[in-house]
Amino acid sequence: MAYTNNKYVVAAIVGNFYQESTVNPGIWEGLTPNNPGYGLGQWTDNPPIVMRRTALFNWLDSNGYPHDSGQGQLEFLIYENVWLPNNPNFPTSAYATLTDFLNSNSANLWDLTKEFMWHWEGIDDGSFNT
């Protein structure tokens, strides 16, 4: 499995998770059970195209983790291996894959955070427009 030793990569991911879930692996989007987003990264079902929360729950169940397991969700992040390097809504990623991102030796937290938000999360909350 791909892991990272780069504290800046870890900080970028944790910062995103803080914004999404206050780093609470058992939290539902909007604090409402069965809303589309769930967990650390707010894995979201957007049927019929994207079913990330369903995939998360299925993987956690298959691997013996409760849905609110932070460890299980981090393992799923690696297993899921989502990275959208050419997301049309954002500049092309400097990284081809999630593994490349995790193996980055960059110390530029600003750029790493943008990369994770844009190419894993697939969002921009406007915080990088300043």
Side-chain angles (χ1 to χ4, degrees):
M1 292 194 165
Y3 294 95
T4 184
N5 291 320
N6 184 333
K7 62 185 174 186
Y8 296 97
V9 168
V10 172
I13 294 169
V14 171
N16 177 265
F17 285 176
Y18 183 81
Q19 179 182 16
E20 290 296 311
S21 67
T22 64
V23 194
N24 179 345
I27 199 167
W28 286 93
E29 180 180 345
L31 304 178
T32 303
N34 299 313
N35 260 0
Y38 182 81
L40 292 172
Q42 290 295 287
W43 281 270
T44 301
D45 280 353
N46 291 307
I49 300 167
V50 178
M51 301 299 288
R52 287 179 81 186
R53 186 194 73 217
T54 297
L56 169 69
F57 285 175
N58 289 342
W59 188 91
L60 292 169
D61 291 344
S62 294
N63 288 277
Y65 290 104
H67 290 181
D68 65 353
S69 168
Q71 180 66 37
Q73 290 179 32
L74 293 174
E75 294 289 341
F76 179 74
L77 179 140
I78 302 299
Y79 168 82
E80 180 187 38
N81 197 27
V82 163
W83 195 257
L84 308 169
N86 298 311
N87 186 333
N89 298 314
F90 308 112
T92 300
S93 178
Y95 308 96
T97 66
L98 176 63
T99 299
D100 290 344
F101 174 78
L102 294 173
N103 288 320
S104 171
N105 61 6
S106 173
N108 187 326
L109 186 55
W110 181 265
D111 285 348
L112 290 166
T113 302
K114 286 189 295 186
E115 287 281 347
F116 194 75
M117 282 181 62
W118 292 346
H119 301 290
W120 184 83
E121 183 74 25
I123 63 161
D124 183 347
D125 67 354
S127 60
F128 290 104
N129 296 332
T130 58

